[in-house]
Amino acid sequence: MAESLVPGEVPVSLNEARSWLRLGATIDDAVVAGLVRAATSVCEAFVGQWLIVRAGEDILPLAPGGVIQPGARPVVGIDAVDLLLPDGGTVALAAGDYRTAIGRDGTARVTIDDPRGAERACVAYRAGIAEGANDIPEAIRQGILRMTQHLHDARDGAGAAPPAAIAALWQPWRRLTLGGGQ
């Protein structure tokens, strides 16, 4: 499972969400900020991609041939690869000790030339659709605002399903895989 090393910027500001919800200044700021983060997480899970570029790290088993594939998408760069040795030690690999390939769909593949007996590796990378909140497509941002509103309205336990408009806004950016692949 991909793990973000930093919480990440959200694509919708607190003021923007508060305005969308028609709330006055500083009313329920902590609640609204939490709802925006939750809506952003729901969006990332739905589209299968991180929205704003942030650092991530995965500890993965080495497949035959020394191959590992980070779980987050779209990967924009591999920063480091460390081998996790059976005796508990680690070996930091130089850039020439592994090859990387990043597909058009944002999936990354790292091939370690000499795994040195390691069965697992730690890969540090950066992944995300956009460099900053202003670079996120407006349809995604509108979906996050609508999901924030839905979560706000349902905070007292009202169990209505999210509006279909949210899925329609996010659908063009949805990336799915078949089977157990990343």
Side-chain angles (χ1 to χ4, degrees):
M1 180 57 99
E3 177 184 340
S4 176
L5 299 177
V6 293
E9 185 181 356
V10 291
V12 173
S13 72
L14 181 60
N15 287 336
E16 191 174 8
R18 202 180 317 110
S19 293
W20 182 265
L21 296 171
R22 297 182 184 100
L23 297 176
T26 69
I27 295 177
D28 294 331
D29 277 356
V31 171
V32 174
L35 294 174
V36 169
R37 287 191 305 273
T40 300
S41 293
V42 169
C43 176
E44 287 183 339
F46 183 85
V47 300
Q49 302 182 79
W50 288 359
L51 297 180
I52 298 175
V53 174
R54 61 186 186 263
E57 185 175 275
D58 284 345
I59 295 176
L60 301 163
L62 290 173
V67 175
I68 52 177
Q69 292 184 288
R73 291 190 308 182
V75 173
V76 295
I78 302 294
D79 297 326
V81 178
D82 295 338
L83 293 175
L84 305 176
L85 301 174
D87 65 4
T90 62
V91 176
L93 297 179
D97 294 335
Y98 60 91
R99 295 182 310 277
T100 62
I102 299 174
R104 288 189 297 181
D105 64 350
T107 56
R109 179 182 175 102
V110 178
T111 305
I112 299 169
D113 297 326
D114 179 12
R116 305 174 195 184
E119 295 177 0
R120 298 180 311 143
C122 178
V123 59
Y125 55 88
R126 288 166 285 112
I129 293 173
E131 286 294 328
N134 290 331
D135 300 325
I136 294 293
E138 193 60 31
I140 290 176
R141 292 172 29 79
Q142 286 299 312
I144 291 171
L145 282 170
R146 290 169 190 263
M147 180 57 79
T148 301
Q149 180 179 12
H150 170 73
L151 295 172
H152 186 266
D153 293 346
R155 71 189 180 282
D156 293 326
I166 296 171
L169 288 165
W170 293 341
Q171 189 63 42
W173 288 273
R174 191 167 196 189
R175 301 296 176 258
L176 300 175
T177 60
L178 299 175
Q182 297 290 336

